[in-house]
């Protein structure tokens, strides 16, 4: 239409075509070609490499995990982006909130992976996720007692089986009982534990003291309550006769306890529940939860991206339609479900398709966050492509077949996106 000759147009397009051919078409063509050869690249393997994609357990796990990623990660990110965009539209500090939510997009996948590797650390004192989880758990359930606590041979206690300890002789009412233990680090003692106090003899009752028979700095004597020794607060004591528990009590902050007259002549038992290991939270990066955990870190990064695009689409909606629906008696949920979401459908489709393409090639987060012990369980196609194509035992035939599979998975999504864009253009 401008009179420009084809040869001039070709000259301008040639550099772009050369780069496109060198950086896109040639690698695709060579990958397809290489996928039909064996590990060495000299022997023709036919479809063997493609058969391995569906017979090798490691690659099948990667395919399954990729399917989980494609279904959940884009959907959750888009849903959260939609919720954030709608809820912050009419509040004064909405812009500040959007900025905070979008900030994770400013960091790299490498940095996000390192952050969430620390967040999911198993130790509650380092991992934020387990610190919160353990805090909630200990709020509604009793925390662990005194793991690794045990009596010395000179103590009046002996092993009672299944991790419990019992007195060597029956106890008598009116005679104070001593239940000393060792093996508890002073730093692990309850913060509100008080110096142990010798129990006072009580008529008709079995009274006693349970304490940590260890003096920090040395100088203490076994079976003697020293001034620097602390009571074992919360330690459960049971009176057992003929294999049945007839009474029970818990030690106070100073270690003292009292049992009724029914405990006279019984053996005192410290049940194994006193010595269980403390609740240590959830193994977020274990085989079961590693993939949902990594998806959570992805959502943390990309929900802001979805929110910004949806907020831009939301700002372009005709307000008169929304107000007319409200005037006609529609509540906010009906306006959101029947007007806002349908009118945002093109924007939601863009966000969803973009994120689907993005998660098909997810690599960084999985490689960094998943520990070596569970990396096979968190495996995805892009990570398997890397593992198959590099290293001393590299198999470029398998790696090329995985690359072709990824391409075939992306193509339908791209076709859908192109058709959608053309429909939008015709409107």
């Amino acid at each position: 239409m401008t009179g420009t000759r084809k040869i001039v147009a070709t000259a301008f397009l040639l550099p772009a075509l050369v780069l496109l051919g060198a950086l896109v078409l040639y690698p695709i063509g060579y990958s397809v070609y290489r996928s039909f050869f064996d590990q060495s690249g000299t022997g023709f393997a036919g479809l063997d490499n493609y058969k391995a994609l569906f017979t090798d357990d490691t690659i099948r796990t990667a395919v399954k995990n990729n399917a989980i990623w494609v279904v959940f990660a884009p959907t959750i990110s888009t849903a959260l982006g939609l919720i954030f965009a709608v809820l912050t539209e009419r509040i004064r500090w909405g812009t500040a909130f959007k900025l905070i939510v979008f900030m994770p997009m400013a960091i790299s996948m490498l940095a996000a992976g390192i952050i969430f590797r620390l967040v999911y650390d198993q130790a509650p004192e380092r991992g934020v996720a387990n610190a919160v989880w353990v805090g909630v758990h200990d709020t509604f359930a009793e925390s662990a007692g005194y793991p690794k606590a045990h009596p010395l041979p000179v103590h009046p206690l002996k092993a009672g089986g299944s991790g419990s300890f019992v007195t060597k002789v029956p106890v008598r009412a009116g005679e104070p009982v001593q239940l000393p233990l060792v093996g508890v680090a002073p730093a692990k003692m309850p913060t509100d534990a008080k110096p142990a106090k010798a129990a006072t003899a009580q008529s008709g009752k079995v009274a006693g003291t349970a304490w940590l028979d260890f003096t920090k700095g040395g100088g203490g004597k076994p079976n003697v309550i020293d001034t620097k020794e602390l009571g074992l607060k919360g330690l459960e004591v049971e009176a057992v006769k003929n294999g049945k528990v007839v009474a029970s009590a818990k030690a106070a902050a100073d270690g003292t306890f009292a049992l009724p007259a029914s405990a006279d002549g019984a053996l005192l038992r410290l049940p194994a529940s006193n010595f269980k290991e403390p609740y240590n939270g959830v193994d977020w990066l274990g085989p079961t939860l590693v993939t949902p955990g990594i998806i959570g870190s992805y959502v943390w990064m990309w929900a802001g991206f979805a929110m910004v695009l949806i907020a831009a689409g939301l700002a372009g909606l005709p307000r008169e339609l929304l107000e007319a629906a409200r005037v006609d008696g529609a509540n906010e949920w009906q306006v959101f479900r029947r007007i806002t979401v349908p009118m945002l459908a093109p924007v939601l489709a863009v966000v969803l398709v973009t994120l689907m393409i993005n998660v098909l090639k997810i690599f960084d987060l999985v490689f960094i966050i998943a520990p070596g012990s569970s990396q096979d369980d968190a495996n995805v196609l892009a990570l398997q492509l890397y593992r198959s194509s590099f290293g001393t035992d590299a198999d470029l035939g398998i790696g090329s077949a995985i690359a072709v599979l990824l391409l075939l998975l992306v193509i339908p999504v791209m076709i859908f996106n192109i058709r959608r864009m053309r429909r939008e253009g015709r409107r």
Side-chain angles (χ1 to χ4, degrees):
M1 294 178 64
T2 61
T4 304
R5 289 181 295 178
K6 292 183 179 180
I7 190 170
V8 176
T10 303
F12 278 102
L13 291 174
L14 187 60
L17 293 175
V18 170
L19 289 175
L20 184 65
L23 301 179
V24 178
L25 297 180
Y26 173 74
I28 291 175
Y30 184 75
S31 295
V32 174
Y33 168 79
R34 185 64 179 83
S35 67
F36 292 105
F37 286 82
D38 59 13
Q39 182 175 3
S40 63
T42 56
F44 184 74
L47 297 176
D48 290 347
N49 292 326
Y50 291 96
K51 291 178 182 177
L53 299 184
F54 303 98
T55 56
D56 184 273
D57 290 338
T58 304
I59 301 178
R60 287 167 61 186
T61 300
V63 173
K64 181 193 73 174
N65 287 338
N66 257 100
I68 294 173
W69 271 89
V70 169
V71 171
F72 290 101
T75 305
I76 296 173
S77 299
T78 304
L80 285 177
L82 176 62
I83 293 171
F84 291 155
V86 172
L87 292 181
T88 58
E89 183 188 18
R90 290 181 290 178
I91 58 177
R92 183 176 301 176
W93 46 270
T95 303
F97 178 82
K98 290 175 183 177
L99 178 63
I100 294 172
V101 175
F102 187 74
M103 280 180 65
M105 283 294 299
I107 65 176
S108 65
M109 287 280 196
L110 173 63
I114 294 173
I115 290 171
F116 273 85
R117 183 67 181 267
L118 295 174
V119 167
Y120 291 136
D121 195 292
Q122 179 68 37
E125 60 271 17
R126 293 194 301 271
V128 175
N130 261 343
V132 174
W133 191 268
V134 170
V136 173
H137 173 274
D138 290 347
T139 300
F140 297 98
E142 287 190 23
S143 58
Y146 302 94
K148 300 181 181 178
H150 61 277
L152 292 173
V154 297
H155 285 164
L157 291 165
K158 64 179 181 179
S162 302
S164 65
F165 300 102
V166 298
T167 53
K168 295 177 181 177
V169 295
V171 297
R172 295 297 175 187
E175 298 178 4
V177 182
Q178 292 184 337
L179 302 178
L181 293 173
V182 295
V184 183
K188 298 293 185 180
M189 290 290 290
T191 55
D192 54 351
K194 297 180 180 179
K197 184 175 70 174
T200 304
Q202 301 181 35
S203 177
K205 291 186 177 181
V206 176
T209 304
W211 82 98
L212 179 63
D213 194 12
F214 172 79
T215 301
K216 191 175 181 180
K221 296 180 180 180
N223 296 327
V224 176
I225 300 175
D226 297 303
T227 56
K228 295 182 179 179
E229 295 175 349
L230 299 175
L232 296 172
K233 180 186 176 182
L235 189 77
E236 187 175 0
V237 183
E238 297 176 342
V240 181
K241 286 184 179 179
N242 300 321
K244 295 182 179 180
V245 177
V246 296
S248 64
K250 286 191 177 182
D254 58 3
T256 57
F257 63 90
L259 294 166
S262 58
D264 183 42
L267 291 174
L268 296 191
R269 180 174 67 188
L270 304 180
S273 58
N274 289 312
F275 313 108
K276 65 182 180 181
E277 291 293 330
Y279 181 69
N280 205 36
V282 177
D283 187 7
W284 298 103
L285 299 181
T288 305
L289 295 177
V290 62
T291 295
I294 300 174
I295 290 176
S297 66
Y298 179 89
V299 171
W300 176 75
M301 287 192 67
W302 287 87
F305 167 81
M307 178 194 65
V308 169
L309 291 188
I310 295 171
L314 197 60
L317 293 184
R319 299 297 164 176
E320 58 272 13
L321 290 179
L322 303 178
E323 295 303 326
R326 294 187 180 101
V327 170
D328 289 341
N331 57 37
E332 292 299 323
W333 170 246
Q334 290 172 326
V335 171
F336 172 76
R337 185 166 60 93
R338 297 184 179 276
I339 298 178
T340 303
V341 173
M343 294 186 70
L344 283 176
V347 178
L348 296 177
V350 170
V351 174
L352 200 59
V353 170
T354 302
L355 294 182
M356 287 177 65
I357 295 173
N358 186 269
V359 299
L360 280 172
K361 54 184 181 142
I362 192 71
F363 166 80
D364 320 58
L365 289 177
V366 180
F367 183 72
I368 297 166
I369 296 177
S373 58
S374 58
Q375 198 169 86
D376 284 343
D377 299 285
N379 200 15
V380 290
L381 286 173
L383 177 59
Q384 185 59 40
L385 170 60
Y386 168 80
R387 294 167 68 178
S388 297
S389 302
F390 299 95
T392 55
D393 196 31
D395 188 337
L396 293 181
I398 294 291
S400 299
I402 296 173
V404 173
L405 176 61
L406 273 174
L407 176 64
L408 294 176
L409 292 175
V410 170
I411 286 176
V413 182
M414 291 298 300
I415 292 174
F416 169 80
N417 203 27
I418 292 171
R419 288 182 175 178
R420 184 198 57 76
M421 292 173 64
R422 286 178 177 174
R423 285 198 303 266
E424 292 295 320
R426 286 195 294 267
R427 291 178 186 176

